[in-house]
Amino acid sequence: MPSRRTHFNSTALLQANPRMNQDQTMIVEVRIISRIEKPLTYAVPSFLESPAIGSLVRIPLMRGTELGIVSAHPTSIDFPKSKLRNILEVLYPYPLIASDTLTLATWMASYYGCSTAQVMDRILPPGIRKGLGAKEHVSLALTQAGREVDLTTLARRAPKQQALIALLLSQPGPVSKPAAIKAARISPAVCQELIRKGWIDEIRKNVDRIGYEDEAAAGDTLRPIEYALTGEQQNAVDTLLPILDAQSFQPVLLHGVTGSGKTEVYVKALQHVLTEPGATALFLVPEVALAPQTVGTLRARLEALGVHVVVWHSHLSEGERRDSWLRIARGESRVVVGARSAIFTPLNNLRLIIVDEEHEPAYKQEETPRYHGRDLAVYRAKLNNATVILGSATPSLESLYNVRVGKYQVIRMNHRVDNRTLPSTQIVDMRREFRKNKQLTIISNPLKELLLDRFEKREQSILFLNRRGYSTHMICPDCGWVALSDECSIPLTYHRSGNILKCHLTGYEMPAPARCPQCQSAKIHGEGFGTQKVEDVVKAILPRAKVCRIDADTMNKRHLFRTILSDFRSGRIDILVGTQMIAKGLDFPNVTLVALINADQSLYMEDFRAAERTFQLLVQVSGRAGRGEKAGEVIVQTSTPHASPIQFARRCDFDGFLDEEIELRREFNYPPFRHLIRHLIRCRNPEKANFYAQNWRKHLDTANIPDLEIRGPVSAPVEKINGEYRVQLWYFAARVIQSMHQIQQLRESFEWDKDIQEHIDVDAFNLM
Ligand code: ADP
Ligand code: ZN
C-alpha cells in the first residue's frame, strides 16, 4: 500500500538518524484545511523545524498529501507514537494565521450555520490555501560536495536521492524545488535529507507584491500636516487613550457628524497603540474604493513610527494577497487597511480595530459564510482583549441600541472641524414640480438654478441617484407590454449606450426592440430614469460644464474610479452624477451643492430598514457638501416631503429619529430586539419550491424550537432571479447560536430535493 510505504520511508529516516529516539519526537495536532472540523495527529521528523501553532504544514493522508494547520501541541497521545505518520513539510517558518483565528472560525461556523471548513476557505486567501506560490521562489542547486557524489553507489543505496542529484546535474542552473521534486518523482523528505547532508542548497528569493505602494505619495499631498485638534477631537482622544491603555475588550462608538474629523481621531489612536513594539491594528473600510484614500493617509502619518501599512481586499491579485498575508504574518506590516475580508488577516498582538462607516451594508458578506465584518470586528476585539472603535456619522440602529443598553461606550462629535456649518437642506416637493411643469421632472427648478449658480462660481456639485441606466424600464403604451427577461421578475433597464436592455440582477443583455414585440407598435419607449439620463439632462442644462458619471456601468475598468475621483478633486470635473457608490466617506472641499434626485427610492422598499437607510443616505449624502471653506447646500427631491426620515434628516435630529425608529422596532420585535435569520429556498420549478418550503415549515414546527418565531414561507420580494423562483422564511431568534444549532440539525435531517437550493442568512441585510 503506498500510504504504508510513505510511513515506512519516514520511519527508516528516523532510524537512520542516531540522534533521534522515538520519545523525543514532537507531536502536532493538525487540521486539514479542506476538512477542518476533526484534528489529526502527526509526528514532526527531526530534520524539520518544529512548527508553531498556526503553521501551515503538508501531511500525508491516505494515498495523497494535504495542507493543514497546526492547531495544538499535545503532550501525550493514547496510542504508541510509532503509529504516527510524519508531517512532510512546514511551508513557512512562522504561523500563517493569528492565534485567535481557529476560535473565530469555530464561532463563525456555529453562528452563521456553516462548516468550519467553509469558513476557513474564506479566511485563507487562495494563494495560501492552495499552498501555491509558497515555494514559487525556492530553487535547488548542487553544492560542491553534491557535484562530487558517486552516482553509481548512490543509485544502489538510495535511488531516490540519486534521481534528484542526477536531475540537478543535468540542468545548467538552479531548478525550482517543486518542479525538481515532481520531475524526480520523489517526496520532499528526500530533498530535505540531501539538504541536510549538505549536497544541495535551497535558494530562497522573496519579491513581495504589495498593493498600492504608490499611495504614500498621494497621501502626502492629501494630508500634509498634523492638525491641532479641535476641542471635540481632543475630548475624543482623551476618552480613548485610557481605554486603549486598559488593554481590555471595549467597543466604542465614535458618532461624529460628517466632517467632524473622525480620521484624525483614528490616527491618534493608532499612533498611540503602535508606539508599543509589536502591537498591531486593523482599519476596516466598507468599500474597496475607499481603501486607497485611507491607506494614503495612514502611510503618511504612521511612517514616522516605522510602521508599514498594507492594503487588503478582494480586488488584489492572488500574488499581492499572498505576499501581503505573509508580510503581516511575519509581523513586518503592523497595520492592515481593508474591506471586510481584512478581518481575517494574521495580525498578532492585535490592539485596535477601527471600523469606519460601521453602518454600511457593504460590511455584510452575501455569500456563505454570510458574516458581518463589523460584528466579526467586535468579536475579534473581544478574543484579543482589544479596543474596537466603530465610527460613523449615521450609526446603525444596532450600534446605537448597544450604546443605550450600555454595551458600547459612545463618543460624540457634533460639530464640523473649525465649526464649519452643516449644509442647509432644502426639500423639493416633486409633486408640485410635476404640476407646474406638466411633465415628469428630473431636475427641479430650484436645483437647476443652484447648478447654474455653482457653475458660475466655479464650485462643484454632486447629484445622487441610486439607479443606473437610462430608463428604469421599457413599456408599450398601446398594449401594456413591459420588457422583461424570461429569467427574472424585475423589468429590464434601458441603457442608451449600446441601445440595450439590461438585467441589473444577472447582467443579462439584449438589444432594445424598435417595435413592440407584442403588437408591433412603434410607440414603445423607456419610462423612469437612471443615472445616464440624469447625466444627459444636466449636460443639456449646462452644455459648457464638464459632467461625469460614476456607477457600476462606468466601473468595469480597475483604475477608472480613481481617475475620475482625482479629476474631480483637481477641479477638472464640475458635476459628478453617481449612485450611492460616491456617497461614502469621500471628501471634496470644493463641493458646495449636493442633490438627492429621488429620495423616495429607498424609502418604499420592502425592507424594515427602509427608514433607517433613507435617513442614513440623506445625512451621508448631505455630508458631502460644504467640506471646505465654503458653506454647502443640499437639495432633496421627493414626492413625500413629510415622511419622517426625510424630516429628521433635514434637521439632523439623530435622537428624534432613533427614538421613533427604536419604538417601531420594539413594537414589531424586529432587530435590534431580536436577530432576523432569513432562509431562502430556490428552485426553477415554483410548485416544487413552495412544496418543499411548506414541508420544511412543518418539519420545523414539529421540532418546536424554543424562543424562535417562524414566519413564512412566502415569496421573496423579487420572486424570480435567473430562472429560479425564490421562497423565504424568516426566523426571529433571541439567541442565535442556540437556535442555529437546532435549525442546522433539522436542516441536515430534512430531505431536500436535489433541484432545491437553499441558504440561511443570519442577521440578513438583503431582504430582496
Ligand atoms: P469625517 O470622517 O468625520 O467626516 P474627516 O476626518 O474626513 O471627517 O475630516 C474632515 C476634514 O477636516 C478633512 O479635510 C480633514 O483634513 C480636516 N480636518 C480634520 N481635523 C482637522 C483639524 N483639527 N483642523 C483642521 N482641519 C481638520
Ligand atoms: Zn404593444
Side-chain angles (χ1 to χ4, degrees):
M1 258 184 350
S3 59
R4 269 290 183 83
R5 206 167 57 212
T6 321
H7 182 207
F8 174 80
N9 271 350
S10 21
T11 317
L13 264 175
L14 280 180
Q15 283 157 355
N17 183 345
R19 279 172 301 142
M20 277 296 291
N21 68 51
Q22 293 283 314
D23 288 318
Q24 279 173 344
T25 313
M26 184 184 190
I27 307 169
V28 286
E29 184 189 281
V30 178
R31 285 170 188 261
I32 296 174
I33 290 176
S34 54
R35 273 158 283 178
I36 205 96
E37 342 287 315
K38 208 174 115 233
L40 300 171
T41 314
Y42 285 86
V44 182
S46 64
F47 57 81
L48 292 182
E49 288 283 312
S50 39
I53 291 177
S55 300
L56 189 65
V57 293
R58 190 182 302 279
I59 49 169
L61 187 80
M62 318 277 270
R63 290 150 185 261
T65 70
E66 289 276 354
L67 287 178
I69 287 173
V70 176
S71 54
H73 288 150
T75 43
S76 64
I77 45 169
D78 47 15
F79 51 91
K81 280 183 183 174
S82 55
K83 286 250 159 72
L84 290 180
R85 294 176 76 180
N86 279 339
I87 61 171
L88 300 173
E89 184 187 11
V90 182
L91 279 90
Y92 302 90
Y94 43 82
L96 275 208
I97 59 170
S99 49
D100 61 344
T101 303
L102 283 175
T103 318
L104 182 76
T106 317
W107 180 83
M108 282 176 72
S110 55
Y111 190 91
Y112 293 108
C114 52
S115 69
T116 319
Q118 282 173 316
V119 175
M120 286 310 289
D121 213 47
R122 188 56 65 177
I123 289 181
L124 291 170
I128 300 287
R129 199 189 324 137
K130 293 184 284 191
L132 259 192
K135 296 159 292 170
E136 204 163 57
H137 304 297
V138 184
S139 47
L140 300 175
L142 287 172
T143 60
Q144 197 52 41
R147 287 180 193 287
E148 288 161 6
V149 165
D150 177 359
L151 285 179
T152 346
T153 328
L154 191 62
R156 234 180 305 120
R157 285 188 19 222
K160 301 216 154 166
Q161 297 184 7
Q162 188 270 344
L164 180 57
I165 294 201
L167 177 93
L168 293 177
L169 274 173
S170 72
Q171 301 298 315
V175 179
S176 138
K177 186 176 172 184
I181 286 177
K182 206 170 160 204
R185 296 165 198 263
I186 55 164
S187 77
V190 175
C191 182
Q192 288 317 118
E193 179 59 14
L194 288 171
I195 293 168
R196 200 191 60 82
K197 283 182 172 167
W199 290 352
I200 55 181
D201 268 342
E202 244 177 7
I203 305 166
R204 290 176 184 275
K205 265 207 203 114
N206 265 329
V207 192
D208 281 354
R209 292 151 289 190
I210 306 288
Y212 298 100
E213 277 300 346
D214 51 332
E215 294 301 335
D220 287 336
T221 54
L222 263 177
R223 299 189 197 242
I225 28 162
E226 192 117 349
Y227 297 108
L229 295 184
T230 65
E232 282 189 331
Q233 283 173 326
Q234 189 62 54
N235 172 54
V237 173
D238 290 346
T239 315
L240 278 171
L241 296 194
I243 296 174
L244 295 168
D245 287 336
Q247 304 207 12
S248 59
F249 169 59
Q250 175 64 62
V252 178
L253 178 67
L254 181 59
H255 184 179
V257 298
T258 50
S260 58
K262 291 186 286 297
T263 314
E264 199 56 28
V265 175
Y266 301 145
V267 168
K268 286 284 185 288
L270 287 166
Q271 287 174 336
H272 188 76
V273 294
L274 293 168
T275 47
E276 186 193 306
T280 65
L282 175 63
F283 194 120
L284 295 184
V285 291
E287 285 280 335
V288 173
L290 292 175
Q293 186 177 329
T294 310
V295 173
T297 307
L298 297 189
R299 286 216 172 120
R301 299 295 298 282
L302 299 174
E303 211 149 55
L305 290 172
V307 173
H308 186 266
V309 181
V310 281
V311 68
W312 183 269
H313 54 68
S314 52
H315 288 200
L316 299 177
S317 70
E318 208 168 275
E320 280 173 331
R321 270 192 282 173
R322 175 188 159 265
D323 294 346
S324 301
W325 186 275
L326 296 181
R327 247 192 117 122
I328 301 163
R330 290 194 299 263
E332 289 165 15
S333 295
R334 294 203 282 141
V335 175
V336 177
V337 175
R340 58 176 182 264
S341 59
I343 192 69
F344 304 122
T345 51
L347 289 163
N348 279 299
N349 197 8
L350 184 57
R351 294 283 313 283
L352 172 61
I353 306 180
I354 293 165
V355 184
D356 198 20
E357 312 283 348
E358 68 89 25
H359 63 281
E360 274 295 334
Y363 279 118
K364 185 79 158 89
Q365 162 92 12
E366 295 293 356
E367 284 159 53
T368 307
R370 294 166 191 267
Y371 66 88
H372 196 297
R374 176 203 56 217
D375 298 347
L376 288 194
V378 172
Y379 188 70
R380 213 181 156 190
K382 189 173 173 181
L383 291 176
N384 285 279
N385 282 325
T387 308
V388 54
I389 305 177
L390 311 179
S392 175
T394 52
S396 62
L397 220 70
E398 281 83 355
S399 296
L400 289 168
Y401 182 71
N402 278 328
V403 169
R404 286 216 171 162
V405 298
K407 282 194 193 159
Y408 295 178
Q409 191 164 334
V410 69
I411 299 175
R412 285 189 79 154
M413 300 204 292
N414 297 321
H415 303 280
R416 287 190 159 187
V417 216
D418 290 347
N419 273 318
R420 280 171 213 151
T421 42
L422 281 165
S424 61
T425 301
Q426 187 186 341
I427 310 235
V428 179
D429 184 343
M430 293 308 277
R431 293 169 305 181
R432 207 178 297 160
E433 288 289 311
F434 179 77
R435 282 198 297 271
K436 248 190 294 180
N437 303 342
K438 304 263 185 313
Q439 60 176 356
L440 172 78
T441 307
I442 295 174
I443 306 285
S444 62
N445 288 326
L447 178 54
K448 196 182 283 177
E449 274 161 35
L450 286 174
L451 277 171
L452 291 167
D453 172 72
R454 295 307 131 103
F455 182 64
E456 302 282 293
K457 292 202 241 164
R458 306 211 50 79
E459 293 172 9
Q460 292 169 298
S461 308
I462 305 181
L463 306 182
F464 288 101
L465 176 67
N466 233 357
R467 171 158 323 208
R468 61 204 166 85
Y470 192 81
S471 311
T472 51
H473 54 281
M474 191 171 226
I475 63 155
C476 168
D478 289 342
C479 74
W481 172 85
V482 177
L484 284 169
S485 75
D486 297 338
E487 298 290 296
C488 297
S489 61
I490 64 160
L492 296 167
T493 305
Y494 177 62
H495 286 243
R496 210 168 65 173
S497 46
N499 194 34
I500 49 167
L501 290 167
K502 208 170 181 173
C503 175
H504 283 182
L505 292 174
T506 62
Y508 165 84
E509 286 180 15
M510 62 178 270
R515 287 178 172 276
C516 171
Q518 208 162 267
C519 74
Q520 308 307 317
S521 163
K523 289 195 214 142
I524 58 166
H525 60 265
E527 290 241 313
F529 54 92
T531 43
Q532 287 181 8
K533 191 158 185 174
V534 173
E535 184 188 7
D536 277 10
V537 173
V538 173
K539 279 178 173 160
I541 296 173
L542 278 164
R544 284 178 302 130
K546 175 97 171 97
V547 183
C548 255
R549 174 168 55 88
I550 288 196
D551 57 30
D553 295 320
T554 63
M555 285 294 301
N556 25 33
K557 293 194 197 80
R558 183 169 157 170
H559 290 295
L560 192 60
F561 185 74
R562 289 165 84 193
T563 315
I564 295 183
L565 289 188
S566 87
D567 281 356
F568 191 57
R569 192 179 301 282
S570 64
R572 280 192 288 271
I573 296 172
D574 302 301
I575 299 169
L576 203 56
V577 176
T579 49
Q580 242 184 69
M581 196 173 252
I582 49 175
K584 289 166 196 165
L586 297 172
D587 184 10
F588 303 105
N590 197 36
V591 172
T592 56
L593 174 64
V594 162
L596 196 65
I597 301 297
N598 182 3
D600 306 325
Q601 207 177 23
S602 58
L603 198 49
Y604 299 103
M605 298 212 314
E606 281 182 71
D607 184 337
F608 71 92
R609 287 193 182 89
E612 180 186 359
R613 294 245 178 103
T614 306
F615 178 82
Q616 287 168 344
L617 178 66
L618 260 65
V619 175
Q620 287 290 339
V621 159
S622 57
R624 302 304 125 215
R627 307 270 293 186
E629 304 297 319
K630 293 158 252 172
E633 247 175 300
V634 178
I635 294 278
V636 175
Q637 300 191 149
T638 169
S639 300
T640 48
H642 300 293
S644 80
I646 294 179
Q647 287 301 327
F648 281 123
R650 184 177 67 84
R651 296 194 299 268
C652 251
D653 181 0
F654 289 94
D655 293 315
F657 177 72
L658 179 64
D659 287 339
E660 185 185 282
E661 188 62 20
I662 279 276
E663 265 331 296
L664 276 171
R665 301 273 185 99
R666 193 196 306 276
E667 199 176 312
F668 293 103
N669 222 337
Y670 271 6
F673 296 94
R674 285 186 304 180
H675 294 269
L676 170 61
I677 302 168
R678 184 203 202 203
H679 194 169
L680 192 70
I681 295 165
R682 296 172 293 151
C683 185
R684 298 192 75 85
N685 176 341
E687 281 85 44
K688 216 177 216 180
N690 277 316
F691 179 78
Y692 276 88
Q694 297 288 357
N695 276 357
W696 163 248
R697 167 81 207 235
K698 281 184 209 135
H699 190 59
L700 269 178
D701 284 342
T702 42
N704 208 0
I705 303 176
D707 295 328
L708 189 77
E709 189 197 330
I710 304 165
R711 294 190 198 166
V714 294
S715 295
V718 181
E719 266 183 65
K720 185 174 152 196
I721 297 180
N722 248 337
E724 284 181 326
Y725 289 86
R726 309 163 80 243
V727 177
Q728 61 173 349
L729 291 106
W730 279 12
Y731 313 132
F732 287 96
R735 276 178 303 272
V736 169
I737 292 197
Q738 268 174 22
S739 301
M740 279 308 290
H741 179 69
Q742 286 172 289
I743 294 173
Q744 284 298 86
Q745 280 186 334
L746 291 169
R747 199 169 155 213
E748 275 153 31
S749 63
F750 186 75
E751 286 191 18
W752 296 98
D753 187 88
K754 62 173 180 9
D755 296 337
I756 300 253
Q757 305 286 325
E758 43 97 35
H759 73 252
I760 288 186
D761 188 357
V762 176
D763 297 328
F765 259 71
N766 180 0
L767 303 177
M768 297 293 110

